[in-house]
């Protein structure tokens, strides 16, 4: 690749989120503005078995960055109005899911690992969210 | 999409990095372990003009999360040995570029914006890196 425009980059989910939130509408909108609102939300990151070995070394209590696809996001907007705000701003100055590349980033805390499944707290993703990557925070 | 295995997800770069580091080898390996090693490194995030409006509202001094493609990463390894360490660990417990989905995450500081170009400090990416997303940190 060079500095020129490149074509599409393809990624495959490494796993899937299991969440008490079935749909985006199940998440109270104001929670996204309230620090710690998701702290008590628990769920699972099911990593596909062929990647399970890549989880070795993750310790309970660790904060994990999860990159995921906003798989229910609609069209991308370059200008957005965040919840509770009046002024519009550029999408790259926001966490809106409706972005040119609908990739989300969140931080969860690892409660326990059972093989290819991570039990986590602080979950703000919905059921069925495709997981792209996990990194130490 | 459901919780089943999904096919590939395609993303298109929104821009490209201009960096004093031409190749991965130009970055001293020990810098990745030293906090603040990249603080003085400056460069540019060139956002393709059709996305420039999405930068509105980013203010000088702001910390920005940049998601990017490790476009020079080779094969993915499930077990890695981080620089300066002896024990191997799972790739998801590491920041290695050689991961199932070679997506990188870094935080830079915005020095100035000139239209579709962001001048930033704290750059640890190489020249030509495809940018996938920018979010407020």
């Amino acid at each position: 690749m060079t500095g020129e425009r490149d074509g599409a980059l393809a990624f495959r989910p490494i796993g899937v989120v299991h969440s008490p939130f079935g749909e985006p509408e199940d998440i109270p909108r104001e929670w996204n503005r309230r620090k710690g609102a998701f702290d008590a939300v628990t769920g699972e990151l099911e990593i596909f078995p062929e990647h399970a070995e890549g989880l070795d070394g993750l310790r309970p209590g660790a904060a994990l960055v999860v990159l995921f696809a906003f798989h229910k996001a609609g069209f991308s907007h370059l200008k957005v109005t965040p919840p509770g705000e009046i002024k519009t701003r550029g999408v790259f100055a926001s966490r809106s899911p409706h972005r040119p590349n609908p990739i989300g980033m969140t931080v969860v805390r690892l409660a326990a690992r059972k093989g290819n499944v991570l039990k986590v707290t602080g979950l703000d993703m919905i059921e069925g969210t495709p997981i792209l990557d996990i990194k130490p925070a």
Side-chain angles (χ1 to χ4, degrees), chain A:
Chain A
M1 268 184 241
T2 70
E4 303 145 62
R5 278 153 174 281
D6 300 303
L9 302 169
F11 300 107
R12 276 181 186 281
I14 60 161
V16 64
V17 172
H18 298 299
S19 167
F21 305 118
E23 299 292 332
E25 298 74 43
D26 296 339
I27 300 180
R29 286 203 86 186
E30 68 272 17
W31 283 26
N32 290 307
R33 289 181 280 146
R34 203 196 307 156
K35 205 171 161 65
F38 294 90
D39 283 359
V41 179
T42 63
E44 293 181 348
L45 310 182
E46 177 194 346
I47 305 304
F48 300 137
E50 67 269 30
H51 298 301
E53 205 187 334
L55 302 172
D56 292 355
L58 295 179
R59 292 179 197 288
L64 306 180
V65 172
V66 182
L67 301 182
F68 60 94
F70 284 117
H71 64 305
K72 300 236 171 164
F75 290 107
S76 165
H77 302 285
L78 281 177
K79 285 293 181 73
V80 300
T81 309
E85 295 189 18
I86 296 165
K87 274 182 69 179
T88 63
R89 60 168 91 166
V91 68
F92 301 123
S94 87
R95 292 286 188 116
S96 168
H98 308 287
R99 39 206 317 119
N101 289 317
I103 304 176
M105 185 191 72
T106 195
V107 177
V108 298
R109 197 160 289 277
L110 181 61
R113 175 187 170 192
K114 291 238 171 99
N116 66 318
V117 176
L118 303 180
K119 291 183 184 295
V120 301
T121 61
L123 195 77
D124 63 356
M125 296 167 283
I126 63 170
E127 174 65 27
T129 295
I131 302 168
L132 293 170
D133 200 9
I134 294 174
K135 301 177 191 291

